[in-house]
Amino acid sequence: MPPKRPTAATEARLAEIRRDAEAGRLPVASAQAGYYGLPLQKSPVWTWEVPAYFFVGGAAGAVAVLGAMAQLAGADEKLVRDARRIAAIGSVLSAPLLISDLGRPERFLYMMRIFKPQSPMSVGAWTLAVFGATAGAAALGRNTATNIAAAGSAATGAVMATYTGVLLGATAIPFWAKHARLLPVHFGASALGSAVSLLELRGHRSTALSSLGLGAAVFESITTAALETSPEPADAPLHTTLARFAGALSGPVPLALRLLGGRSRRARQLAAVATLAGSLLTRFAWVQGGKQVARPSQNNQA
């Protein structure tokens, strides 16, 4: 296959660089100007499907874990059944979101040709495939086979809830790489809060669910406060209206509703809705932050 010809814009830029070099006007490489006026890194091309997938897949994975824990604890069978069904629905929605961003379905199949444990993308693709199969099987009933499937969906669900944070942290975008340790825990806590919220909106009220929801809200509140008060320039992408709104809905708002609302069903429902909205917006804020950091170097090529 012959090599691709550079685009007209690239050829024009290369010609400009040659003219500058001949005239002795070579630009200085920097994070802002790039190298010879070319960007040091490419801005992520992810579309809205990616943060939506992060949210749906994370919530589905976390609710599968809660369903398995509820079964082991001998909790209400309806809670276990609802958790399995929600996990199955989430797995069904996750695959189209990921495939839609890839552009063509065969690209997802190409990712399944080989398993690369050192690649978060490869691990994520295989995890989604196994999670979808086991979550679907677990939702079919209550027998030995479905219980085994439920255990499998819980194991892969734990990965679904956290691996997207690992995926961001493993990229070359400094903003994400700097938070490589925080992101998996942050996304995991957010997914847990979403899972609790989905079950509460289904009408389930228990001390265990309330405690887990409260714990997730506390963690998200602490994380939001730490990122908001950080003086480091690298955290500036999180000082946007979107990020602040996402942080408030994920942590302080549901925390206040759960603490002040007591046993009020209405307060729990409002806290659940706020948590779900905050969890979704959190993914969009982090993805947008990475794009914002990478974009300036591409806008300073002149």
Side-chain angles (χ1 to χ4, degrees):
M1 180 181 294
K4 280 188 175 181
R5 289 182 56 82
T7 64
T10 301
E11 289 183 334
R13 180 57 187 155
L14 291 174
E16 183 181 350
I17 291 174
R18 284 193 291 269
R19 289 195 299 271
D20 288 343
E22 292 171 359
R25 299 191 305 269
L26 291 179
V28 178
S30 69
Q32 290 72 35
Y35 184 71
Y36 289 105
L38 298 175
L40 294 177
Q41 57 188 215
K42 292 183 178 180
S43 176
V45 295
W46 290 341
T47 52
W48 66 269
E49 292 94 337
V50 170
Y53 163 68
F54 287 178
F55 166 70
V56 174
V63 83
V65 174
L66 290 185
M69 292 172 58
Q71 182 185 7
L72 290 175
D76 179 20
E77 288 191 8
K78 185 176 184 302
L79 189 152
V80 176
R81 184 171 61 252
D82 283 348
R84 291 182 177 184
R85 289 175 178 174
I86 292 172
I89 293 171
S91 69
V92 170
L93 294 175
S94 294
L97 286 171
L98 181 57
I99 292 172
S100 176
D101 177 73
L102 293 174
R104 297 199 303 269
E106 59 267 26
R107 289 180 177 173
F108 181 78
L109 297 178
Y110 293 156
M111 293 171 64
M112 302 298 295
R113 290 183 302 175
I114 187 172
F115 177 70
K116 298 180 180 179
Q118 74 276 16
S119 168
M121 183 69 77
S122 177
V123 171
W126 276 93
T127 299
L128 174 59
V130 176
F131 176 69
T134 54
L140 296 177
R142 289 292 301 274
N143 53 47
T144 303
T146 55
N147 288 341
I148 293 175
S153 69
T156 51
V159 180
M160 287 289 294
T162 55
Y163 98 88
T164 51
V166 177
L167 176 63
L168 289 184
T171 64
I173 305 298
F175 168 63
W176 291 337
K178 175 182 179 294
H179 298 95
R181 292 185 178 181
L182 169 65
L183 279 165
V185 184
H186 181 25
F187 280 16
S190 179
L192 174 61
S194 296
V196 170
S197 298
L198 289 169
L199 291 172
E200 288 184 330
L201 290 175
R202 284 288 298 164
H204 297 287
R205 301 180 62 184
S206 70
T207 303
L209 280 179
S210 181
S211 298
L212 288 172
L214 184 63
V218 169
F219 180 87
E220 289 295 278
S221 296
I222 295 173
T223 301
T224 297
L227 293 173
E228 175 62 29
T229 58
S230 173
E232 297 187 30
D235 290 332
L238 293 176
H239 299 165
T240 62
T241 300
L242 175 61
R244 287 167 174 162
F245 194 51
L249 289 176
S250 296
V253 172
L255 178 60
L257 287 168
R258 291 184 181 279
L259 290 176
L260 301 178
R263 301 180 64 84
S264 168
R265 179 182 178 184
R266 182 66 174 172
R268 283 193 180 190
Q269 289 178 332
L270 290 174
V273 171
T275 299
L276 289 170
S279 181
L280 174 61
L281 293 178
T282 291
R283 271 68 172 182
F284 276 91
W286 277 99
V287 171
Q288 187 60 35
K291 290 184 176 182
Q292 178 182 330
V293 168
R295 191 176 298 123
S297 61
Q298 293 180 311
N299 293 336
N300 288 281
Q301 297 179 21

